[in-house]
Every structure is written in C-alpha cells, then in structure tokens.
Amino acid sequence: MTTVLISGASIAGPALAYWLRHHGFTPTVVERAPAPRPGGQAVDLRGTAREVAERMGVLARVRAAHTGARGMAFVNAAGKRTATMASDAMGDSGGVIAELEILRGDLVRILHEATAGGVEYLFDDTITSLTQTSTGVRATFERAAPRTFDLVVGADGLHSKVRSLVFGPESRFAHDLGAHIAIFGTSQREDLEGWQLMHTVPGRTAGIYPLPDGGAKAMFVFASPPAEHDRRDTAWQRDLVAATFADDGWEVPRLLADMREAPDFYFDRLCQIRMERWSDGRVALLGDAAFCASPMAGNGTSMALVGAYVLAGELATAPDHATAFRRYEEEMREYVSRCQKFALGGVSSLMPKTRAFIRMRDFSLRVVPHIPGGARLFGDLQKLANTVSLKDYRARSLTSS
C-alpha cells in the first residue's frame, strides 16, 4: 500500500497527505476548486489537535494567524451585554470560543504550503467513479486521465462525493438538526475589541465575529423545517434568511443589507453524519465526510486533524489496510460520539424555544465559569478536546522514510 488518492483539499485532506508522506506513502489530493479555498468562518484548534499541529511543525504559524477572538457575549436588542464567556474561562479549550481560533482559509493555506512540495495536487477536478478490485481502486475524473490507486480516502466534506459513490446517498447518513446556518463577510460598525456578539430571540440567533483586519463575519442560525431547493440558488437562500430575521432588532437590519451583496455567502442545513463504519474495502472516509458533528460542536477542525494523524499512523503500522481502518475507527469513535452529542446542546442554546430559556442560558453563562465543576455543565469541552491520546506512530512506522 503506497499510493493513496485523497478527495478534498480543505483541512482533513492536506493533513492526511502530510502524515502519509511522512510515513513513506505517495498521496495525491484531488479538489474541485481551482485553488486552495480562501475565506470561511473561524475554526477552533482544541486539545489534542494542537499537539497534532505541533508535530506537523505548523503550530507557530497557526498561532500567528490567530483571529484574536477574546470570547463570546450575548446582547439584547439594544446592544447591552446580557452574558459573556471569555475564551480562557474554562481552560484553553474549554470555552465556547477557543483560546486559539483561525480563519478556515488561513488554516487551509498553511496546510497546503506544508504539503505542496511533496504531495501531488489535482485542482479544478473531481472524482466521477470508483471501481474496487482485489489489488486497488480505479478512479475516473472529470479532467484527468483514469488512474489506479492502492487506497482512496474521502475527505471531501459534509456533501462528500466519495461517500455517495461508495456508501450510498447522503440521506442514509445525514441526521437533520432542524435548522439552517448562513455565514458571510460584513463590516464592523464599531471596534468589537475581539468579542463575538450574539443576539438571540426564540428560534434563532444572529452574530458578528470580529476579524483582525477590521472586518467581520456575520452568522445567522435559525430553526426551520427542511426546504427542497437548488443548493446553488443563493437568491432563494438569502430571501429565506431575510424573511426569517426581518423583524429582529440590534444589528440585524444592517447585516441583512450586507448579506444581499456578500460575495462569500455560505448557506447550508445543519446536520450530522452518523455512520456505522467509515470504510468499505479499500475506501475510507475522514473528517466531515465520515463524522460531521455540525458547526455547533466547535470541534470539527480538531476531529479532522486528529483523525488524519490517526488514520495515517494506523496505515503505516498495521499489517494491512483492513486492520488499519478498523484501528482508526476504534481510536476515534468515542471522540466523535462525544463531539456529536455536545453539538446537540449548541443547537438548543442558539435556537431556544422560549424567552425564559434565553434568560436561563444567560444566567448560566454568567455563573457557571465561577463555580467548582462548572465545566461539566457545559459538556466539559476541555476534557472532550483531549479524548484521544496520540500514539507515537513515528517510532513504530513500518514504512517511514
């Protein structure tokens, strides 16, 4: 097993390529976008994921690109803060906003630069079919000529093409969380001093996340039934967001106006991917393609980095790919299950059904960080982020170069 095709060049894919290359494999990464994707929302690096980044030699660069976020504050319609939680309130990985946050696009760039010299990238292309045999997997592409690889890994996100080709339609594995999310770039009306501000009314929350350059990211999360539509129809999506938040106060009217022209508008349904197994023959899944917990978990990027390290290490040390895939699942399953469970609390917190729940949530945020054992009431993110203890695959690798 030496050649591995990886679908997806966001976070999980390049991280896996790095570790496979480290262990002596020859990875190829295929990505539909024409280049590494810029922009995106802020993502957290928590617990063990930071150790992975340090072992990759990129942690210093990640810290240098930190957004500077200091924490999260909830505000009422007049802009008065009703509750705050600093990023270090319950440990460096324990707050709703992690002590170390970075824009997704910045992390993608760092990982691509760390791998570009030794990894083949096929940008502006995608897999169209996968055919498994006893000795490999034949892949066809939209642009490139067909090729055969020893293994294939789908690290291509929530709407994974690899998963649909090998495991079946997304509807078999996607568990709906009853809400939509929209994220886009906006401007800061005033200096937010590093605080993400959130305004909640029953059923929905609007937020502003400050960026170091003076800009900001806006976020809208709202409970709603599933709606059939073309995922590329952003006009319909913007209309839905605008209609849902039309009567809300605070900064919402300005944010809705900015949304109409935002070139980086992102919209999707909140759901989790739950699968009984993450591999089939010579094909495996990684990151959101295998175990998306939704943005409500705050651990998606960390799961991707840790999963990449574990999967590559098991492939390097196991006697065959089937054993490696089994061990990878055994190492990651508890971590994934706990992250997905934690996300359900985030859904209820940002889309409460009553104003009484909002008042109770804000009261809890004010007092819990200051009482002994309070972290447990919030799912103990600090402990959750360190669920996996990294094996030293470097010392045991069978193929390390």
Side-chain angles (χ1 to χ4, degrees), residues 200-205 221-224 244-245 350-354 358:
T200 301
V201 298
R204 56 192 181 272
T205 289
V221 184
F222 55 102
S224 62
T244 302
F245 288 83
L350 292 185
M351 288 162 284
K353 295 182 179 180
T354 65
I358 296 173

Side-chain angles (χ1 to χ4, degrees), residues 212-286:
D213 63 2
K217 290 287 183 179
M219 180 185 73
F220 290 96
V221 184
F222 55 102
S224 62
E228 291 293 333
H229 72 285
D230 185 342
R231 286 178 50 211
R232 295 167 295 182
D233 187 354
T234 61
W236 181 92
Q237 296 166 358
R238 293 176 207 242
D239 286 345
L240 177 62
V241 176
T244 302
F245 288 83
D247 297 328
D248 292 358
W250 183 56
E251 293 287 312
V252 171
R254 178 180 68 82
L255 297 177
L256 292 177
D258 289 349
M259 176 189 70
R260 289 296 185 184
E261 305 299 327
D264 60 345
F265 178 77
Y266 166 85
F267 179 93
D268 211 340
R269 187 74 178 165
L270 287 181
C271 66
Q272 294 184 342
I273 297 298
R274 303 176 191 170
M275 305 181 70
E276 292 184 1
R277 52 191 175 86
W278 302 330
S279 65
D280 183 303
R282 292 176 173 268
V283 180
L285 300 174
L286 174 67

Side-chain angles (χ1 to χ4, degrees), residues 42 66-75 79-90 95-98 101 186-199 206-212 214-218 250-251 254 365-366 369-370:
H66 177 37
T67 63
R70 297 174 55 197
M72 176 186 290
F74 285 94
V75 299
K80 180 181 178 181
R81 298 190 182 190
T82 57
T84 62
M85 178 174 283
S87 59
D88 60 353
M90 291 186 289
V96 178
I97 298 293
E101 296 210 340
T186 184
S187 59
Q188 290 189 35
R189 189 190 65 176
E190 58 183 311
D191 185 4
L192 301 177
E193 298 180 335
W195 286 86
Q196 180 178 12
L197 302 184
M198 309 285 277
H199 175 58
I208 305 176
Y209 185 98
L211 301 179
K217 290 287 183 179
W250 183 56
E251 293 287 312
R254 178 180 68 82
L365 286 171
R366 291 194 298 268
H370 307 291

Side-chain angles (χ1 to χ4, degrees), residues 8 14 25 30 54 58 93 108 111 189 222 251 260 263 270 331 336 345 391:
F25 292 82
V30 59
E54 185 171 22
V58 300
S93 296
V108 168
L111 294 176
R189 189 190 65 176
F222 55 102
E251 293 287 312
R260 289 296 185 184
L270 287 181
E331 287 292 308
V336 167
K391 297 178 182 178

